[in-house]
Amino acid sequence: TSGDVTITVPAEAGTNTITIPATTGTMLDTNSVIASSKLPTGSVIQTVSASDATLYALSISNATSDHAGSIAYSITPSSSSNKIKIDFFIPQVRIAADVGGLRMRLYRDIGGAGYAHVTGLSGTGSSNRQASLAGNYDNQGDGNRSSAWFGGTIVDSPNTTSACNYKFYFGAGDGATTVYVNRTENDADQTYTSRTRTHVSLMEIAG
């Protein structure tokens, strides 16, 4: 074929060697994209970020029921061996009960099969003790001001290439009550009242 290939030798002393592999393939150039399957373990394959400013008032039906208090945060893994790193910050969560045990769990839906508690990311339940991702015990808190916030980093292994949808669910171990997310209980029209936004970032990590 016609054309030229130019190799420029660096202006350095010593021997410089270019080794051409005995295989068929395409050499990288400045416009090449490395396939995600070729990246080493621990590489970031993709990142999806979203936030939720919805003001939730969740009616908790009983001591063991969980209720969704976030939008769905979605990512589709490119390989079933990859992991999903989840960074989250929920600035304001309030339980209406004067004395109440609040819990938070991560739920996951894979390919539209329905949401289920990701038990491997929660603690170990025992007898009446609930396995939770996070929790708080409020004692005689002020309905305007006393709130908890939850944030951190967790890593899930969904073992799938189907769409993974994540939601944060909340419950109250003391029975029927209301849990508020991104708002205070009273949501009073006062300068001491804050309305907040939940932030979540999902990263697919090569496994």
Side-chain angles (χ1 to χ4, degrees), residues 25-181:
T26 301
M27 296 188 69
L28 295 177
D29 59 28
T30 56
N31 297 314
S32 296
V33 176
I34 302 174
S36 60
S37 60
K38 302 296 184 182
L39 293 174
T41 298
S43 298
V44 176
I45 306 300
Q46 60 172 315
T47 301
V48 180
S49 299
S51 64
D52 179 16
T54 305
L55 305 177
Y56 293 93
L58 308 176
S59 296
I60 308 300
S61 54
N62 57 61
T64 58
S65 64
D66 295 328
H67 303 264
S70 78
I71 61 173
Y73 300 95
S74 304
I75 192 169
T76 302
S78 59
S79 170
S80 60
S81 64
N82 291 346
K83 302 182 184 302
I84 304 300
K85 177 176 175 283
I86 305 167
D87 296 309
F88 67 95
F89 179 50
I90 305 174
Q92 190 168 211
V93 184
R94 161 72 184 166
I95 185 171
D98 288 339
V99 179
L102 172 69
R103 69 173 172 273
M104 183 182 77
R105 289 169 169 166
L106 183 70
Y107 274 59
R108 180 186 64 210
D109 163 80
I110 296 178
Y115 283 91
H117 176 204
V118 187
T119 56
L121 296 178
S122 290
T124 302
S126 176
S127 187
N128 290 320
R129 304 173 186 88
Q130 298 293 302
S132 304
L133 179 63
N136 178 58
Y137 186 73
D138 188 25
N139 190 355
Q140 305 296 338
D142 184 307
N144 285 317
R145 300 178 178 85
S146 182
S147 299
W149 65 266
F150 299 120
T153 297
I154 49 182
V155 179
D156 183 34
S157 301
N159 192 33
T160 186
T161 55
S162 297
C164 294
N165 306 300
Y166 296 95
K167 286 185 179 182
F168 293 97
Y169 277 61
F170 298 86
D174 295 85
T177 186
T178 304
V179 170
Y180 302 92
V181 182

